[in-house]
Structure formats: C-alpha cells, structure tokens
Amino acid sequence: MSTAPQVAASHTLAEPDHPAVGVATGLLNSYVPGARFLGTPTRTLLGEGVHSEVPHDERPPALRVAATLAAARSAGHTAPLVMGAIPFDQDAPAALAVPAVLHTAPPLTADPLVALPADPPSRTDMTVHQEPAPEQYAASVAAAVERMWKGEFSKVVLARTLRIDATDPFDVAAMLQRLARRDPSGYTFALPTGPDRTLLGASPELLVSRHGSRVVANPLAGSVPRSDDLAEDVRRAAALLESAKDLHEHAVVVNAVEESLARYCTDLTVPVRPTLVRTATMWHLSTTVTGRLRSPDTAALELACALHPTPAVCGTPTDTARRVIRESEGFDRGFFTGMVGWGDADGDGEWVVTIRCAEAEPTSLRLYAGAGVVAASDPEAETAETAAKFRTFLGAVGARL
C-alpha cells in the first residue's frame, strides 16, 4: 500500500514566532542520495521513496505525467506531485516520479539559517579531464561562426564537459549543501537519474511556472563572468547591458519564448529591455515574461515542453542547431539543458532549465557548460565563458581547472 504524502516538514521549529527559521534548511539537511530535493524561489521540496514512476512510452511527457498523477490520486494519494528531470531530447527516457512522502517548506531564502556557511570540501585526490580540450572547443566555435557568416543558421549553443575522477566517493549531500547556500535564491536540485547516479546543480533560469492561471517565464541569454573586484564587476555588468552581441542573442530567445507562449496565453507582458540577474559566478541578461492562461487545462509541463528547447540552450533555427550540436559536441547531453522541476495534479508547477549541473556517480562527476554562439562570437571568449560557468560546480567539489 502506498504512503500518503506529508505536506508539512517534519522538523521542529526553533522559534514559534518565526516559522520559517530552520524549516527549509532542515529539509536541505535531511537530504540523502536517492531522495529528491528541489529548492526554488517559491518553495523547498524533499521527496522520499517512490509512490509511482512516470513510464516511458510514445506519449508526450505532459500526458504521461498527467496520467500518472491521476492514477496516484485514484489510488488514494490526496495531493500527488511529480518531481524529476527530462532530458535535452524529450524523446529520451525521463527520470520522473511521484514521491511516497513529500515534505514541503518555504523557500530557502525565507530561512535565515541558509546564511550559515556549508562545510568546505574535504581534500581528496581528483583528476580533471576536459572533454573536449579548450582548444578543440574553441575550434568548434570558430567553425560554427564561419558557417553562420555563410548564412546556414543564426545561433547555436555549444557545450563542453569536465569529467572529475576521485579516489574516494563524492559526498553528494555535502555538494548540494554548498550549492544551495552559495545561491539560495536560485533553483537548486538533486534528483536520482539511475542506479547510484544523481543529477544535481544550481540553475539560475526558470523555463516556465504556472500557478492557477498565471504563467511566468524568465529566459536568460547573454552572459559575462563576474569579477572578485567590485569596480570591475560593476563595469562588466554595465557593459553587458550595452553589448550589441549579447542584446541580440537575448532578443532571439525572448522572441521565441513570446511566440510559444502566445499560443497558450493572453495578456502577455514582455519588457522592452532586459535587466540583469547575477549568480555567484555570472551576470546574465534577464527578461521576465508574464501572461494568463487561455485554458485552465494547460499544465505547467505542457508549457515547458512547448518552450523547450529555447534558443538559449539550442539555437535557431532549432532543427539546424540540433544538427550542428550533434556534429560538433561529440557527446550525449543527457539531462544537461533539459529541464528539472515539479508538477501537481492541478497543473501547477515550476520547470527549470538544467544548467550549472553535473551527474554524480560514486567516484566520478560529469560537469556541463555551454555558451551561445552567434556570428559576432569570439572563440576564446566563449571558451572562457564556459570555464566561468564550470566554477559554480567546481567550487562545490573543491576542484579547479
């Protein structure tokens, strides 16, 4: 018999007058590999056990999830919720399940205890392999730029990976702690994707959320690494807001998001100019798109699948960009640049672009980072951008390039 979900965290509050103190970080502290953790700006979720898994078949992901949630509700699960990950290739097997027990809490940013530092990485022997080598990646960028000048396509997102091998098993729970406490206002996740395999990361980018009839998307495109020097950091942020190359790249993504959501939404609001979002390592151009659903039957995951892949993770035209990615990258992206998130039986949910992430196995990690390549791109600058994006995870591991 399945276990009904718990809809409140099972941790004792330190101070009754401040109900958020210790609740969200309590869920973070309770995470163990095999569980499902997701921290967003609206909530903190910890799923334990499996009530039911979403099957892999020919149906679109949104239909499979809806059927699984309906079956869970019929089986007595009073408030079923799916958590998990969908790959870059939506036709590939996903890792989605209804937890047997669900703990919820306010967002990590509402918990003052999140400001307490995580334990630093323990020392261990690690070997870092860059795949492909930086020079090879830069050559792929240069080749793509040359093809764009010939008019074959207008943008492609090219990625590279790092493989980190260690003599001792990685402490996945400790890595999650460092990711969450470093950027608590983002989207932090740790989700099982196979036996002894965990997808974890800290993404800054909301693909789409739905709460009732309200829809929000927050595409990010156009980036620059941050600086430890305050004056230089501010200069870089200001320059990004005026960069013709980055503004063009950003506009392409926003236009694609607006076009996709217009089929499902009314009252779409799209700001004329982007603003800035910062993480611990990067500045990003950001636009928040909002709208109202035309139909209450449209679930958050259906919207996410309609948006994915945006030009921010693939390119444009989409089919051509996919082909260039296959020809240029030389590896399977798997869950990288797919989506992670949650969805409930009422259609509400939050789905996030799977970036700043890694897949962890006992003694190995596979890290991913990509950069948007347009005709004005400089191969060395794009290589440096991917290196800066790797820093999010390298800091959690205690490794360096």
Side-chain angles (χ1 to χ4, degrees):
M1 180 178 294
S2 62
T3 304
Q6 297 179 9
V7 292
S10 59
H11 303 278
T12 302
L13 302 181
E15 296 185 29
D17 292 338
H18 301 281
V21 174
V23 180
T25 53
L27 295 189
L28 178 63
N29 296 339
S30 297
Y31 167 81
V32 295
R36 292 169 171 80
F37 180 89
L38 181 62
T40 83
T42 69
R43 69 202 64 215
T44 304
L45 302 175
L46 178 66
E48 298 176 322
V50 176
H51 175 279
S52 49
E53 292 187 348
V54 176
H56 177 66
D57 55 39
E58 70 283 353
R59 293 173 296 170
L63 290 181
R64 287 184 275 129
V65 166
T68 301
L69 289 168
R73 180 175 275 177
S74 296
H77 221 299
T78 56
L81 179 145
V82 155
M83 298 176 67
I86 294 174
F88 175 66
D89 179 0
Q90 291 188 47
D91 294 330
L96 298 164
V98 177
V101 178
L102 179 67
H103 305 278
T104 72
L108 287 168
T109 50
D111 188 341
L113 298 186
V114 78
L116 296 176
D119 292 335
S122 59
R123 292 182 177 274
T124 184
D125 293 332
M126 289 182 286
T127 305
V128 180
H129 308 272
Q130 302 191 56
E131 300 174 354
E135 301 79 15
Q136 185 180 349
Y137 177 78
S140 296
V141 172
V145 168
E146 183 177 353
R147 292 174 66 177
M148 278 184 270
W149 279 108
K150 292 179 180 178
E152 291 186 41
F153 52 95
S154 56
K155 178 184 177 180
V156 66
V157 178
L158 294 181
R160 63 188 183 109
T161 75
L162 300 180
R163 192 185 83 244
I164 303 177
D165 296 321
T167 55
D168 299 321
F170 286 103
D171 189 336
V172 173
M175 287 191 288
L176 178 65
Q177 284 276 347
R178 288 189 281 272
L179 290 168
R181 293 178 185 275
R182 190 179 193 191
D183 280 317
S185 61
Y187 300 85
T188 307
F189 52 90
L191 303 160
T193 54
D196 293 323
R197 186 182 305 126
T198 301
L199 176 70
L200 70 161
S203 175
E205 185 170 3
L206 172 67
L207 180 61
V208 69
S209 68
R210 192 207 103 160
H211 298 286
S213 64
R214 187 170 188 264
V215 173
V216 179
N218 184 205
L220 307 182
S223 308
V224 67
R226 298 194 62 188
S227 172
D228 293 332
D229 178 81
L230 178 59
E232 173 62 14
D233 194 45
V234 173
R235 188 200 68 77
R236 291 183 185 184
L240 181 61
L241 278 172
E242 300 300 327
S243 166
K245 176 258 185 187
D246 290 289
L247 288 169
H248 169 70
E249 180 184 343
H250 187 79
V252 169
V253 178
V254 173
N255 290 342
V257 169
E258 180 181 11
E259 181 178 341
S260 294
L261 288 182
R263 302 197 301 269
Y264 298 92
C265 297
T266 61
D267 301 326
L268 274 178
T269 300
V270 184
V272 176
R273 287 185 61 85
T275 57
L276 289 172
V277 164
R278 65 183 179 184
T279 68
T281 58
M282 301 293 296
W283 285 105
H284 299 282
L285 292 178
S286 164
T287 295
T288 299
V289 179
T290 60
R292 295 285 175 183
L293 279 180
R294 296 180 187 275
S295 168
D297 297 329
T298 305
L301 185 54
E302 183 179 349
L303 297 171
C305 291
L307 288 167
H308 176 77
T310 72
V313 297
C314 183
T316 185
T318 302
D319 290 342
T320 304
R322 282 184 183 274
R323 186 173 68 251
V324 175
I325 287 169
R326 288 194 297 268
E327 296 168 353
S328 303
E329 290 184 347
F331 60 88
D332 182 357
R333 288 190 176 189
F335 289 95
F336 172 62
T337 60
M339 49 186 134
V340 299
W342 66 271
D344 66 21
D346 295 325
D348 287 345
E350 295 174 283
W351 294 94
V352 181
V353 182
T354 314
I355 52 177
R356 310 296 191 277
C357 66
E359 276 204 293
E361 295 184 277
T363 58
S364 69
L365 282 173
R366 174 74 67 174
L367 282 62
Y368 301 88
V373 180
V374 294
S377 290
D378 173 72
E380 298 304 322
E382 303 299 356
T383 305
E385 180 177 319
T386 57
K389 289 174 177 176
F390 280 133
R391 284 168 49 199
T392 296
F393 222 99
L394 290 172
V397 178
R400 293 185 178 183
L401 279 177

